[in-house]
Each structure stands twice: as C-alpha cells, then as structure tokens.
Amino acid sequence: MTTRVTSLDQLNLAFADRFNARDLDGLMALNTADVVFVPAPGTPVTGEAAVRGALEQFLGLNLPISMTVRHVFESAGTGLAIADWTITGTGPDGSEIALAGTTADVAVFDEEHGWRYAVDNPFGTV
C-alpha cells in the first residue's frame, strides 16, 4: 500500500518518487478514477487503461524525472499544483532524451485517499 499524500505541495514530489522507483501502481494510486492525463500537449487521455499505457511509455524511457514545485493553491479540497520537471539522458534506443515542462495539475482531496490528480497536465499551458 502506498502512502497517501496529505499536503498538496507533496503531490508532484510523490509522483517523482514513484516515477523514479518505476512504481506504476503507485503512480496510478495518485489519480482519481476519472483522471484526465495529458501525456502530450493537446492530447488528453482518460480511463485506467489509457492512463496506465501513457505512464508506461514514460517509464519505458528508463530515465529519472526531476521535479521542483513552484506553487500550489487550494480551496475547499480542490487544488492547483504547478511544478517544473525534466527527464533527460540517453534512452533505451541510444537516443538523447530531453523532455521538460511546467505542470498545471488540478488535484482533489478526500480523507480516504489524500490529494490525488483529477487533471494531470505535465506540459501545463498547451
């Protein structure tokens, strides 16, 4: 069982920890059941299978993510988390990978699950 996130400013950091541990189930646990995940700008996916598949593609790069939380805002159990992230290095096929973005993530809080993503938008503005 993964630890629930009790402070919004820890949500993106929990994502990075689970990503770097290659913990797909732990990453999925950070999402609401009806999460919208945007793995590429302008390309949202929904549903457990689609979100899991998109996360598997990122994990397949076999590179660590670094995450720096910029701001969090919350009101009555709804939050906006903004963080800068990078994934850089040599990919499995030998190509150089340089991905980066600034998230604009909407999160919700409940006592049972803690903070979880309702909209995970890693590229933020597009």
Side-chain angles (χ1 to χ4, degrees):
M1 176 103 188
T2 53
T3 305
R4 69 187 185 100
V5 177
T6 57
S7 178
L8 181 56
D9 64 353
Q10 296 299 305
L11 182 59
N12 293 104
L13 301 176
F15 180 95
D17 288 345
R18 295 172 192 192
F19 185 96
N20 292 337
R22 304 295 182 257
D23 180 3
L24 182 56
D25 290 335
L27 288 170
M28 291 298 293
L30 292 175
N31 297 323
T32 60
D34 56 354
V35 68
V36 174
F37 180 52
V38 188
T43 312
V45 298
T46 58
E48 184 178 352
V51 172
R52 182 177 286 274
L55 287 169
E56 282 177 328
Q57 286 187 328
F58 280 109
L59 290 176
L61 297 172
N62 204 30
L63 294 170
I65 191 170
S66 65
M67 186 84 65
T68 303
V69 177
R70 192 187 289 191
H71 299 288
V72 295
F73 306 97
E74 59 184 274
S75 174
T78 301
L80 173 66
I82 300 167
D84 300 315
W85 62 271
T86 59
I87 299 173
T88 57
T90 304
D93 64 357
S95 65
E96 288 303 308
I97 305 290
L99 297 172
T102 299
T103 68
D105 299 327
V106 178
V108 293
F109 180 84
D110 68 65
E111 287 298 329
E112 179 182 356
H113 300 102
W115 284 103
R116 296 185 298 161
Y117 294 104
V119 179
D120 184 351
N121 186 15
F123 293 95
T125 59
V126 287

